[in-house]
Amino acid sequence: MMRSARSPSRRDFVRAAAAGLVVLPVLDTRDFARVLAPRRSKVALVRTSDRKRGVTDVLKLMDLRNVAGKRVVLKPNFNSADETPASTHGDTLTQLVRELQERGARSITLGESSGPPQTKGVMEKKGIFDIARDLRFDVVDYEQIGGNDWVHFSGAGTHWPEGVDLPRLVVASEYNVSTCCLKTHGAGGVFTMSLKLSVGLSPKPIRRTMHRSPDMRRMIAELNTGYKPQLIVLDGVAAFTDGGPSRGELKPGNVMIAGDDRVAVDAVGLAMLKHLGANEAIMSRGIFQQEQIARAVELGLGAPGPDSIEIVTADAESQACADALRVILAQG
């Protein structure tokens, strides 16, 4: 068993101090404030209608040094093959892969389970196998993996009485990346961004149980306890402000958002939907009162409130957008 280095006793400390061998740092009140202040989750925002440039620019605002040498597992939004924001746009995906490769990712594996359409068919329609060949990354269809490739999690303390399973590839990943879209969810989820993306990691049979449950939104949050993404990229160039997930009322959002905190990213995404003018389920409830968000906060998955989120930008247009979203976030 590893042991920590022995700390000096009080007697040792007093003797050293008397001999003038101990130098105590001098802290002013600002130093104490920095020590005591809770961590704020950084969310990067770029105003753009160009997805490739948006991915590049938003990642410049993130610290991705830790991706070098890592095996990356990438989760897109391929619930269906319908056009963005129903599914991940090819420009967003390809630029994200290139950015990860340029930062030294050892390998990239895209993994997904669509639904209700079959995953293979969705990927074929999206041209994913051709993109993977050209950019040299691997593709895993979670519908096709075996029993030993799943990790079971107990349902104790959750709304999943029989527990849940997630792909071992994701649970054991060195570096998880999620890329989601900006949209409402007309089938009971209210909204579908980074937290809801986790549903595509679960076996299809249990999704049917979830979608029939009055606790669906809490169950979505609970799925997220089995893994943690190190990077989330939310494509908000286009948004569904009603309907969804496959079809809905389409509005230009013209933003690219990134972070490493699912709660913070989704909170900023919800602020953007409110800014655009969305359906009653979005507009009538506070962001941190949404059941997905509230349950995720209970589980310690991310920022506990608006004051724990820092939106960072790099230009005046993005800053103006961020200022508007901060006002909305501050309303709770």
Side-chain angles (χ1 to χ4, degrees):
M1 183 175 69
M2 294 182 64
R3 300 177 186 273
S4 60
R6 175 180 175 271
S7 299
S9 68
R10 182 177 181 274
R11 180 180 297 175
D12 294 336
F13 180 85
V14 172
R15 286 175 177 170
L21 299 177
V22 175
V23 178
L24 297 177
V26 177
L27 299 179
D28 64 20
T29 55
R30 290 171 297 179
D31 294 316
F32 283 114
R34 281 192 290 270
V35 171
L36 297 174
R39 175 186 181 271
R40 299 184 75 199
S41 296
K42 183 169 75 172
V43 176
L45 183 146
V46 171
R47 201 84 160 115
T48 184
S49 59
D50 183 328
R51 287 183 168 90
K52 288 187 175 181
R53 185 179 71 82
V55 169
T56 296
D57 289 349
V58 81
L59 292 188
K60 288 178 181 177
L61 297 171
M62 301 296 298
D63 182 3
L64 300 186
R65 290 174 294 179
N66 290 338
V67 74
K70 300 290 178 60
R71 293 182 174 89
V72 174
V73 177
L74 173 59
K75 170 67 172 74
N77 182 353
F78 291 155
N79 182 64
S80 70
D82 295 286
E83 291 189 9
T84 310
S87 63
T88 299
H89 197 282
D91 287 351
T92 301
L93 177 65
T94 55
Q95 192 61 30
L96 180 55
V97 169
R98 289 189 179 107
E99 294 287 340
L100 292 167
Q101 289 172 336
E102 288 177 5
R103 286 168 171 79
R106 182 173 179 179
S107 66
I108 298 174
T109 300
L110 181 150
E112 176 65 303
S113 174
S114 306
Q118 287 191 335
T119 306
K120 182 179 179 182
V122 170
M123 289 189 179
E124 287 175 343
K125 290 179 181 178
K126 296 289 294 183
I128 299 306
F129 298 110
D130 292 335
I131 295 172
R133 183 192 64 245
D134 294 343
L135 295 183
R136 298 183 179 180
F137 63 83
D138 297 322
V139 176
V140 174
D141 178 350
Y142 294 139
E143 284 191 75
Q144 304 300 320
I145 62 177
N148 291 332
D149 295 321
W150 296 93
V151 177
H152 183 72
F153 293 87
S154 166
T158 76
H159 296 84
W160 294 89
E162 298 180 4
V164 297
D165 296 278
L166 294 175
R168 190 175 302 278
L169 178 68
V170 173
V171 175
S173 172
E174 296 178 326
Y175 201 97
N176 277 302
V177 176
S178 299
T179 183
C180 48
C181 301
L182 181 63
K183 54 183 174 177
T184 51
H185 188 276
V190 179
F191 64 93
T192 173
M193 293 180 235
S194 69
L195 289 166
K196 181 69 168 60
L197 201 67
S198 300
V199 176
L201 297 175
S202 64
K204 279 190 172 180
I206 73 170
R207 298 181 207 173
R208 288 189 280 272
T209 300
M210 184 195 73
H211 280 86
R212 290 194 295 264
S213 172
D215 295 311
M216 174 184 177
R217 293 163 295 282
R218 296 182 180 92
M219 295 170 80
I220 289 168
E222 290 162 358
L223 277 173
N224 285 268
T225 59
Y227 80 107
K228 184 183 187 304
Q230 281 68 46
L231 173 65
I232 304 150
V233 176
L234 190 159
D235 177 353
V237 173
F240 285 155
T241 54
D242 194 15
S246 299
R247 292 175 179 81
E249 182 179 341
L250 184 65
K251 290 184 181 180
N254 293 331
V255 292
M256 195 67 70
I257 296 167
D260 63 4
D261 177 333
R262 287 162 285 189
V263 175
V265 167
D266 282 13
V268 174
L270 281 166
M272 190 67 200
L273 287 179
K274 284 177 174 282
H275 181 63
L276 293 173
N279 62 25
E280 182 70 11
I282 299 294
M283 304 301 291
S284 65
R285 180 169 292 191
I287 289 170
F288 281 81
Q289 294 174 345
Q290 290 286 351
E291 286 181 316
Q292 279 191 55
I293 297 286
R295 181 59 175 146
V297 169
E298 286 178 356
L299 295 167
L301 293 175
D307 292 341
S308 297
I309 299 173
E310 177 187 8
I311 305 177
V312 297
T313 62
D315 61 83
E317 187 179 5
S318 300
Q319 184 62 46
C321 180
D323 289 342
L325 299 188
R326 289 188 190 97
V327 172
I328 296 171
L329 276 169
Q331 296 169 1

